[in-house]
């Protein structure tokens, strides 16, 4: 599957996808390490971590692929596009955190 994706996605989209997966994996390891030490981050650090553990960042970097375009970095990293990207990621991440807190004992 990744081979087909690599062929179909443009090189910039593919690179951003791999970078987002690395961010996701590193964040999951960090989150598990915190849980193992029974440590809870402050709001700023929790927000940074949650942006990646929610997988929304990975989903959002795939939007150009779904539209069959390979956006240049100057578009993807433009302040307005970046603000939309992280705003959407935060909206989904925080709504999931709020929903989870109603039904489970997690941090």
């Amino acid at each position: 599957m990744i081979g087909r994706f690599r062929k179909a996605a443009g090189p910039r989209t593919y690179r951003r996808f791999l970078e987002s997966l690395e961010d996701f994996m590193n964040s999951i390891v960090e989150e598990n390490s915190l849980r193992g030490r029974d440590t809870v981050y402050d709001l700023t650090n929790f927000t940074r971590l949650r942006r990646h553990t929610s997988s929304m960042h990975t989903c959002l970097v795939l939007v150009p692929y779904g539209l069959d375009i390979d956006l240049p970095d100057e578009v993807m990293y433009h302040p307005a596009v970046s603000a939309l990207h992280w705003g959407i990621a935060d909206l989904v991440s925080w709504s999931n955190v709020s929903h989870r807190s109603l039904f489970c004992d997690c941090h």
Side-chain angles (χ1 to χ4, degrees):
M1 186 163 103
I2 194 73
R4 282 186 287 155
F5 172 71
R6 185 177 188 165
K7 289 178 186 176
R12 294 174 290 234
T13 299
Y14 183 71
R15 176 182 43 79
R16 285 190 289 265
F17 173 69
L18 292 180
E19 289 168 354
S20 73
L21 285 178
E22 183 176 4
D23 291 342
F24 172 74
M25 298 290 188
N26 289 335
S27 295
I28 294 297
V29 168
E30 183 178 350
E31 182 180 54
N32 284 329
S33 174
L34 291 169
R35 286 186 180 156
R37 296 184 315 231
D38 200 27
T39 301
V40 178
Y41 269 156
D42 62 21
L43 184 59
T44 301
N45 285 311
F46 176 78
T47 300
R48 175 193 54 78
L49 184 65
R50 183 67 184 144
R51 284 178 163 182
H52 295 289
T53 59
S54 72
S55 300
M56 276 309 301
H57 174 56
T58 301
C59 291
L60 291 171
V61 300
L62 290 174
V63 168
Y65 170 72
L67 298 171
D68 199 28
I69 54 178
D70 189 31
L71 291 173
D73 287 341
E74 49 273 4
V75 172
M76 285 298 289
Y77 299 122
H78 185 277
V81 174
S82 187
L84 284 169
H85 176 102
W86 292 115
I88 293 166
D90 288 346
L91 177 69
V92 173
S93 297
W94 283 106
S95 65
N96 284 342
V97 167
S98 298
H99 179 75
R100 281 178 44 196
S101 66
L102 293 173
F103 298 104
C104 71
D105 182 25
C106 25
H107 27 136

